[in-house]
Amino acid sequence: MTEAERYESLRHCKWVDEVIPDAPWVIDQEFLDKHQIDYVAHDSLPYADASGAANDVYEFVKAAGKFKETKRTEGISTSDIIMRIVKDYNQYVMRNLDRGYSRKELNVSYVKEKRLRVNMRLKKLQEKVKEQQEKVGEKIQTVAMHRDEWVENADRWVAGFLEMFEEGCHKMGTAIRDRIQERLKGQLSRDSGFLLQIEGDEEEEYYYDDDEYDDDDDDEEYYEDYDNYDEIDKKNEKERK
């Protein structure tokens, strides 16, 4: 800021009634009377003049009882502000270049301007890469969370399926066993009936009346016709001839 800009910024402060330009570093009684100054406010530290002759430029005002000590705000000082400006100088230059200021207005060389622009682009690229990495990390965490949930549900589903499958197999095995037993019982009942019938047949006895057969044999009589035998022999001899 220029000196005129600093004056103007002070005029816009609500606690300031009047701004005196070109005020001296070392004040005297004549200056106080001219501007009708009742008190001089400053911190209590001693400040030497430019020549170094005086130990404290406010010694006269302190002796007259017109000095008011001000307290410093913790964490705020002009030295810290200057250090922050110097530290972030490159960022300050790039911000103003982006706003439309030329390098000449900012008192920056051509090479420095190009180097700052390249560095700023690299910084933006790093920020984008970091942002993408964070998004990927969030997605990985989401996938991992859903994976744990899916694994838990899958274990529960598999356990339920195995339980139902085991129960179904048990029921099916019981039904098959019952049907086999029923068929075996039916087969056994049929086989037992057939065996009983065979045994009953084997137990039947046949009785023959020998006297009846003897009587028939006794009654039968056989008669042989010898003349007939002679005719048959003759006939066979003719056939041989």
Side-chain angles (χ1 to χ4, degrees):
M1 294 175 67
T2 63
E3 187 175 6
E5 290 172 346
R6 294 177 68 181
Y7 292 154
E8 190 64 25
S9 64
L10 287 174
R11 290 189 183 99
H12 287 79
C13 181
K14 66 179 182 178
W15 292 285
V16 176
D17 297 326
E18 183 182 356
V19 178
I20 302 173
D22 301 325
W25 176 246
V26 180
I27 60 177
D28 52 13
Q29 187 63 43
E30 181 181 359
F31 184 81
L32 295 177
D33 293 339
K34 180 182 178 180
H35 297 285
Q36 298 179 355
I37 297 174
D38 296 325
Y39 294 98
V40 177
H42 206 276
D43 62 81
S44 60
L45 295 176
Y47 291 87
D49 59 5
S51 63
N55 294 326
D56 189 2
V57 296
Y58 298 109
E59 185 176 0
F60 162 72
V61 183
K62 291 177 181 178
K66 294 185 177 183
F67 182 81
K68 293 293 184 181
E69 179 183 355
T70 59
K71 301 294 183 180
R72 290 180 176 270
T73 303
E74 188 68 25
I76 298 177
S77 67
T78 54
S79 299
D80 293 338
I81 294 173
I82 293 171
M83 288 299 298
R84 287 162 60 186
I85 292 173
V86 173
K87 179 182 177 182
D88 300 330
Y89 174 71
N90 292 337
Q91 186 176 357
Y92 163 78
V93 173
M94 284 304 307
R95 184 168 61 247
N96 285 280
L97 286 173
D98 292 338
R99 289 175 178 174
Y101 290 95
S102 65
R103 64 179 181 82
K104 292 182 179 180
E105 290 174 336
L106 296 172
N107 195 24
V108 177
S109 66
Y110 176 81
V111 176
K112 185 174 180 63
E113 178 192 3
K114 297 302 180 184
R115 185 172 67 250
L116 289 174
R117 290 189 181 277
V118 170
N119 292 335
M120 186 59 66
R121 289 173 183 173
L122 289 175
K123 185 176 180 180
K124 289 182 179 179
L125 181 61
Q126 290 176 354
E127 291 176 353
K128 288 183 179 180
V129 171
K130 185 178 180 181
E131 183 180 357
Q132 293 298 326
Q133 288 178 346
E134 291 177 353
K135 289 182 179 179
V136 171
E138 291 177 357
K139 289 183 179 180
I140 291 174
Q141 290 179 356
T142 304
V143 170
M145 182 178 64
H146 287 300
R147 176 184 174 277
D148 296 337
E149 183 179 355
W150 184 86
V151 169
E152 183 179 356
N153 292 333
D155 292 340
R156 188 169 61 253
W157 295 336
V158 170
F161 172 76
L162 291 177
E163 184 178 356
M164 293 176 63
F165 181 77
E166 183 179 0
E167 183 179 357
C169 289
H170 179 71
K171 290 181 178 179
M172 184 172 64
T174 303
I176 292 172
R177 185 183 60 197
D178 293 342
R179 292 184 64 183
I180 292 172
Q181 289 179 353
E182 289 177 358
R183 289 190 177 183
L184 289 175
K185 288 180 180 179
Q187 188 69 28
L188 289 174
S189 62
R190 288 195 297 271
D191 293 343
S192 61
F194 180 71
L195 290 173
L196 289 173
Q197 182 179 0
I198 292 174
E199 290 176 357
D201 294 340
E202 289 178 351
E203 290 177 355
E204 290 181 357
E205 294 182 355
Y206 297 92
Y207 299 96
Y208 299 95
D209 190 356
D210 295 334
D211 297 336
E212 181 180 356
Y213 284 103
D214 293 338
D215 294 339
D216 292 337
D217 292 338
D218 293 340
D219 294 337
E220 288 182 357
E221 293 180 359
Y222 296 93
Y223 301 94
E224 293 182 0
D225 189 359
Y226 295 104
D227 296 331
N228 190 19
Y229 287 148
D230 294 336
E231 291 178 2
I232 291 171
D233 291 336
K234 290 179 181 180
K235 187 178 181 179
N236 289 334
E237 286 177 0
K238 288 179 180 181
E239 289 178 359
R240 289 193 205 103
K241 291 178 181 183

